[in-house]
Amino acid sequence: MSSTGLGQKIRDLAKDKKALILAHNYQPKEIQDIADVCGDSLELAKIAKDNSAEVIVFCGVYFMAEAAAILSPQKKVILPDLSAGCPLADSIQVEDLFSLKKRYPRAKVVTYINSTATLKAVSDVICTSSNAIQIVNKLEGDEIIFLPDKNLASFVQRFTNKKIIPWKGFCPTHENFTLDKALEVKRKYPEAVLIVHPECRFEVVDQATEALSTGQMTNFVKGLKTKEVIVGTESDMINQLQIVAPHLNYLPAANNFICPDMKKISLEKLYQALKNLSPIVTVDFEIAKRAKRALDQMLLLSKKK
Ligand code: SF4
């Protein structure tokens, strides 16, 4: 069957099963094209919660489906491939956090949304790449254990006087974009603006015109006059940028700016998942309750002036 034929079958099946298909901005283009909504992980988890659909098919990685399940415990959250994980989220265990807490007993724990439900459950507050600075600055106390991304931690440290105690985790996809590669692409396209995600290395962020979350990138390009934009994040983000600002020319910052886990979701797996309403992602009730508290704390702090 052609991928277009399969795409139509998926749409029909989604209608039959009253399912909502959500796709992360880093999903393969053919998945983004047939999804009901594309967005970042928090945006999608909130949509899953507010939508009346009983079945949510989450095209993304495991921690994202978990976040949707935490916010919508009464819904069926399906991840078409359970092996789609995130090395950043898996870089830390709760025991590692307990050791850090022993060393820094006064510190508050801020955990990036790219983390397991178990880690969220033992954190004070969750953050995203767009609100991390705001959350850290609004939180009481002057010592912050920031998990699990060392690059986002050092990005936040630039904008706060608080002491940031980072974990050593990183996203291999963003870490792969080295300073040499950043300098090379800038040399090749001297007129272009370079936008990067704060999960990039510290020295790469230094070379960028702006360091932005994926949501902030979407807003940034809308008002941009410059013709060429080098995109320093997962290459499939470019699909979303093309939709909001088609007048610009987007260049992937590197050839291999690809998250292999995001690419585990295919049209065929999505079709099978919808047909069988499986595999389902669930989160233990107690863990979900505590993780939700940390997520709610984030929503509260990001509203406060
Ligand atoms: Fe995890 Fe990086 Fe892939 Fe995002 S791009 S899911 S942080 S490995």
Side-chain angles (χ1 to χ4, degrees):
M1 197 185 312
S2 73
S3 62
T4 342
L6 189 53
Q8 191 50 52
K9 278 194 135 196
I10 290 170
R11 288 302 335 156
D12 293 345
L13 204 50
K15 204 171 159 199
D16 275 5
K17 307 261 182 182
K18 298 189 175 51
L20 184 74
I21 303 176
L22 302 178
H24 188 267
N25 291 326
Y26 297 165
Q27 281 290 289
K29 185 174 184 310
E30 62 273 22
I31 300 281
Q32 293 191 18
D33 286 348
I34 61 151
D36 290 296
V37 190
C38 297
D40 65 33
S41 49
L42 181 65
E43 229 178 320
L44 295 177
K46 281 200 218 153
I47 289 168
K49 175 176 143 276
D50 296 337
N51 194 279
S52 59
E54 282 165 22
V55 176
I56 306 296
V57 185
F58 208 114
C59 300
V61 298
Y62 198 87
F63 79 79
M64 298 176 179
E66 273 189 332
I70 290 166
L71 292 183
S72 319
Q74 74 292 359
K75 297 188 180 174
K76 217 174 244 183
V77 178
I78 290 165
L79 179 66
D81 185 335
L82 286 185
S83 76
C86 170
L88 170 59
D90 295 337
S91 69
I92 182 166
Q93 305 300 318
V94 281
E95 292 72 25
D96 299 317
L97 170 55
F98 294 152
S99 311
L100 280 171
K101 275 181 146 180
K102 254 192 207 147
R103 279 176 63 198
Y104 302 96
R106 289 188 312 114
K108 289 274 165 33
V109 180
V110 178
T111 296
Y112 187 29
I113 192 148
N114 295 27
S115 55
T116 61
T118 325
L119 191 70
K120 286 185 177 83
V122 287
S123 303
D124 291 306
V125 55
I126 307 305
C127 73
T128 66
S129 49
S130 59
N131 65 20
I133 298 165
Q134 194 188 5
I135 298 286
V136 163
N137 281 328
K138 280 191 181 165
L139 206 56
E140 279 175 18
D142 50 12
E143 282 189 348
I144 307 286
I145 296 175
F146 192 97
L147 313 169
D149 187 0
K150 64 173 183 173
N151 291 328
L152 185 59
S154 62
F155 179 70
V156 171
Q157 185 67 87
R158 296 171 190 240
F159 300 93
T160 184
N161 293 325
K162 298 187 183 194
K163 179 183 165 116
I164 301 285
I165 302 142
W167 177 246
K168 58 189 175 190
F170 59 87
C171 160
T173 303
H174 286 84
E175 187 83 352
N176 223 354
F177 183 42
T178 57
L179 177 61
D180 283 352
K181 289 181 187 169
L183 292 174
E184 190 190 318
V185 76
K186 279 181 74 172
R187 256 194 312 271
K188 207 165 161 196
Y189 304 102
E191 301 297 319
V193 296
L194 169 63
I195 53 175
V196 302
H197 194 278
E199 282 172 29
C200 285
R201 292 163 180 261
F202 187 88
E203 62 274 21
V204 165
V205 170
D206 275 342
Q207 293 300 322
T209 316
E210 295 283 346
L212 304 165
S213 68
T214 54
Q216 289 168 335
M217 284 183 185
T218 312
N219 286 330
F220 179 77
V221 296
K222 276 185 201 162
L224 207 59
K225 299 275 181 295
T226 321
K227 271 282 169 212
E228 285 184 328
V229 185
I230 307 165
V231 182
T233 192
E234 220 278 353
S235 301
D236 269 308
M237 178 64 206
I238 291 177
N239 305 316
Q240 293 304 311
L241 300 179
Q242 265 160 350
I243 293 171
V244 293
H247 62 291
L248 301 175
N249 183 23
Y250 301 99
L251 309 153
N255 291 334
N256 56 349
F257 224 134
I258 287 164
C259 170
D261 281 274
M262 284 284 180
K263 305 309 175 224
K264 285 184 177 172
I265 310 295
S266 63
L267 285 178
E268 182 56 38
K269 285 182 195 170
L270 172 53
Y271 175 71
Q272 290 301 333
L274 259 172
K275 200 169 117 194
N276 304 318
L277 291 185
S278 138
I280 295 174
V281 170
T282 53
V283 180
D284 169 84
F285 179 77
E286 272 308 311
I287 289 177
K289 200 167 91 182
R290 282 184 280 141
K292 185 169 179 303
R293 202 159 51 202
L295 276 162
D296 287 343
Q297 187 62 12
M298 168 184 78
L299 298 176
L300 194 77
L301 284 176
S302 44
K303 268 191 217 145
K304 261 196 200 168
K305 291 231 165 125

